[in-house]
Amino acid sequence: MDRRTRTYRGALALLLAGGVLMTGCSGSGTTGESAVDRASGGGPAGGRQPSDARPAAPEQRQGGADRAEEDTGRTSEAPDYLSTFALDVDTAGYGYARRTLGDGRLPAADTVRPEEFVNSFRQGYERPAGDGFSVNVDGAASGADDWSLVRVGLATKEAPDTGERPPAALTFVVDISGSMAEPGRLDLVKTSLGLLADELRDDDSVSLVTFSDEAETLLPMTRLRGNRTTLRDAVEEMEPTDSTNVAAGVAQGYEEAVEGHRKGATNRVVLLSDALANTGETEADAILERVGDAREEYGITLFGVGVGSEYGDRLMERLTNRGDGNTTYIADEAQARKVFVDQLPAHVALRARDAKAQVAFDRATVRQFRLIGYENRKVADEDFRDDGVDGGEVGPGHTVTALYAVRLREGASGRVATATVRWLDPKTRKAHEATGSVTTGAIDGALWGGTGTRLQVTAVAAYFADTLRGGDLPGTPALGELASRARKLAAATEDDAVAKLATMIERADRLRNGTGGAPPGDEGEIG
């Protein structure tokens, strides 16, 4: 299939400048529907849809000649009332922000992606009975004029406790350049792979590729049964040297993955690096141009694991977007254990390929809306049902959250938004959809104190991210107030991840006020 990359366009009104989590309970006002087969045209399942494929809720596009009243008193064309994006479960940006703040620095604005902050927390969504997604839509009044927050939550079924999944064929591509000599880089990668060696099954296969200025295969694709010691020995051989030629490593890794491809297995390349490319091709598009055929023909996905106090976040994120995968970030052994013991083995399989979401806002009730984050995951509205346009890959036990700032019309009553998610079955490539909607009555309660604690945590994470990148999201509290709310929510939820969020906000507030980051004796990554 001749796949097109997603189109970075769509007229979202006042769009702001711009992973692997779980759990269940749908918000008020949500109406989830079971997945519906929407493969059209009678052609091959998962094939390219016509270029004029209809967007979700096409009635929302009618009346484009209507005029919308602005605060200035002038009139302008009514905005596009559709919001379309590829799903994203990345969390690396949040992990790296934790590391940066722990080191006493504010994260650079261009490394802060609000969706990765939001998707780093449990949401409590209802989950579907089978493959595919549940759709949960809720919200609350933010307290800023007529602005509310609307949360669109998508969740997949958890991985079975029995460990039932297809076998995995994993190619590990490890950066051994000179920059990886810093503590918390190659040593942490070696620890991570050692942990994983004990967690994978005997019928799984692994290969190991290293790269510095050149790439080398240390272990061709090998079944783990009887060969775990061989893998550990190869891991122990790795030592830092020379420059960072990410292109060479990724190309060699995909060659190994293709050569060791297993039909019926989950085939994945896992890139472990600080992503500070300084030799060979250093741009994501050029690097992955060389492996596009492997992605398309063999369905090989790319999982990025970032390490290091200095980390090429943008390159890693773009690589995994182009490689149909996702990213995470680890800073210590506890986080390595979470990723390589608790998450990766269970989540190796996929629940959905090329998943996209489209949210249709009702013109009768909505005056303005802003999607918080997802700037580099936007899809043209008309491409929502074009299955040749790239979406996101989502595994078991994942949640994906999109948070919108929505300004209601005065006296509005009725439906606010309808959210539709579309995905391809990983095995059959057959298209399915599920929908959910929310009304004004379900989002008129006060955000703080009057709604579910998980929605409040989501709001805190989004407001914090927007503040770090210099945004102007309506209703954003000052950092001191955000930290206080996060502390109360940590106590209410008994969630250590929320307590760490509160610590992050407190440190950011001190750094912004010029009073320093961590208190004495409290330096280091927050985790």
Side-chain angles (χ1 to χ4, degrees), residues 169-254:
L170 305 177
T171 299
F172 295 98
V173 179
V174 180
D175 183 351
I176 59 167
S177 62
S179 62
M180 292 289 286
E182 174 192 287
R185 298 195 187 194
L186 186 58
D187 58 335
L188 185 57
V189 168
K190 293 168 75 170
T191 297
S192 300
L193 294 181
L195 292 169
L196 186 63
D198 293 328
E199 298 300 321
L200 293 175
R201 302 189 319 216
D202 283 349
D203 61 342
D204 292 330
S205 302
V206 297
S207 61
L208 180 62
V209 171
T210 60
F211 68 92
S212 53
D213 54 342
E214 295 180 346
E216 178 185 6
T217 299
L218 296 188
L219 182 70
M221 194 64 75
T222 303
R223 293 286 178 100
L224 276 178
R225 184 186 300 274
N227 291 302
R228 294 178 194 273
T229 300
T230 303
L231 172 60
R232 292 192 184 93
D233 289 345
V235 168
E236 286 305 313
E237 287 180 21
M238 299 188 300
E239 296 295 337
T241 178
D242 300 327
S243 304
T244 310
N245 190 340
V246 175
V250 171
Q252 180 81 4
Y254 269 89

Side-chain angles (χ1 to χ4, degrees), residues 435-519:
T435 64
S437 63
V438 69
T439 63
T440 53
I443 66 170
D444 60 2
L447 172 63
W448 305 117
T451 63
T453 54
R454 288 297 168 187
L455 176 58
Q456 293 180 58
V457 171
T458 302
V460 169
Y463 284 141
F464 179 41
D466 191 63
T467 299
L468 288 176
R469 66 177 189 170
D472 61 350
L473 191 62
T476 302
L479 287 178
E481 181 183 341
L482 268 185
S484 175
R485 293 195 180 281
R487 283 288 172 210
K488 292 176 182 177
L489 288 167
T493 60
E494 299 183 344
D495 188 341
D496 187 52
V498 182
K500 291 172 182 175
L501 173 63
T503 300
M504 288 176 65
I505 300 171
E506 290 163 354
R507 291 190 179 182
D509 193 26
R510 288 194 293 269
L511 287 166
R512 284 202 158 198
N513 292 331
T515 57

Side-chain angles (χ1 to χ4, degrees), residues 27-348:
S28 172
T30 299
T31 55
E33 299 178 7
S34 60
V36 180
D37 177 11
R38 299 292 181 92
S40 60
R48 181 180 300 283
Q49 301 298 313
S51 59
D52 62 348
R54 68 195 188 286
E59 67 276 8
Q60 300 301 319
R61 300 184 66 84
Q62 296 175 0
D66 293 345
R67 315 297 282 185
E69 190 74 22
E70 301 295 333
D71 289 339
T72 60
R74 295 178 298 173
T75 58
S76 63
E77 289 284 336
D80 180 358
Y81 273 66
L82 289 173
S83 171
T84 309
F85 58 94
L87 301 198
D88 187 5
V89 295
D90 291 354
T91 58
Y94 179 72
Y96 185 50
R98 283 175 55 185
R99 170 64 183 263
T100 303
L101 287 164
D103 288 344
R105 297 176 289 126
L106 287 169
D110 64 358
T111 68
V112 177
R113 289 181 289 277
E115 68 273 21
E116 298 189 15
F117 280 53
V118 167
N119 284 328
S120 294
F121 295 92
R122 293 198 295 272
Q123 299 289 341
Y125 298 142
E126 179 181 345
R127 293 188 180 275
D131 285 345
F133 295 89
S134 64
V135 182
N136 307 262
V137 193
D138 62 3
S142 71
D145 297 327
D146 298 320
W147 289 92
S148 299
L149 291 179
V150 170
R151 179 176 61 165
V152 176
L154 310 173
T156 58
K157 183 181 177 181
E158 297 275 12
D161 293 334
T162 59
E164 294 177 6
R165 61 165 173 82
L170 305 177
T171 299
F172 295 98
V173 179
V174 180
D175 183 351
I176 59 167
S177 62
S179 62
M180 292 289 286
E182 174 192 287
R185 298 195 187 194
L186 186 58
D187 58 335
L188 185 57
V189 168
K190 293 168 75 170
T191 297
S192 300
L193 294 181
L195 292 169
L196 186 63
D198 293 328
E199 298 300 321
L200 293 175
R201 302 189 319 216
D202 283 349
D203 61 342
D204 292 330
S205 302
V206 297
S207 61
L208 180 62
V209 171
T210 60
F211 68 92
S212 53
D213 54 342
E214 295 180 346
E216 178 185 6
T217 299
L218 296 188
L219 182 70
M221 194 64 75
T222 303
R223 293 286 178 100
L224 276 178
R225 184 186 300 274
N227 291 302
R228 294 178 194 273
T229 300
T230 303
L231 172 60
R232 292 192 184 93
D233 289 345
V235 168
E236 286 305 313
E237 287 180 21
M238 299 188 300
E239 296 295 337
T241 178
D242 300 327
S243 304
T244 310
N245 190 340
V246 175
V250 171
Q252 180 81 4
Y254 269 89
E255 287 178 14
E256 287 295 329
V258 168
E259 179 138 352
H261 181 268
R262 292 175 60 184
K263 188 173 182 180
T266 301
N267 294 268
R268 182 169 296 177
V269 172
V270 181
L271 174 62
L272 302 102
S273 174
D274 58 17
L276 300 175
N278 57 20
T279 299
E281 296 286 1
T282 60
E283 296 296 327
D285 291 348
I287 292 171
L288 280 177
E289 193 70 36
R290 303 167 62 181
V291 298
D293 290 344
R295 289 192 301 122
E296 301 302 334
E297 185 175 351
Y298 297 96
I300 298 170
T301 58
L302 177 62
F303 177 47
V305 181
V307 296
S309 59
E310 297 295 331
Y311 164 56
D313 172 77
R314 289 176 63 85
L315 175 60
M316 183 72 88
E317 199 255 352
R318 291 195 65 215
L319 280 171
T320 55
N321 282 353
R322 289 288 309 276
D324 289 344
N326 59 286
T327 63
T328 191
Y329 178 89
I330 58 174
D332 55 34
E333 186 171 339
Q335 291 175 12
R337 184 172 293 278
K338 179 178 179 180
V339 171
F340 288 94
V341 175
D342 299 337
Q343 295 173 348
L344 184 58
H347 301 153
V348 152

Side-chain angles (χ1 to χ4, degrees), residues 19-25 87 89 123-136 153-160 346-347 349-353 355 392-401 421-424 426 434:
V20 195
L21 282 281
M22 7 209 130
T23 0
C25 153
L87 301 198
V89 295
Q123 299 289 341
Y125 298 142
E126 179 181 345
R127 293 188 180 275
D131 285 345
F133 295 89
S134 64
V135 182
N136 307 262
L154 310 173
T156 58
K157 183 181 177 181
E158 297 275 12
H347 301 153
L350 290 177
R351 291 280 191 227
R353 281 190 178 273
E393 275 55 47
V394 183
H398 287 184
T399 63
V400 179
T401 298
V421 59
R422 181 181 178 88
W423 71 95
L424 302 183

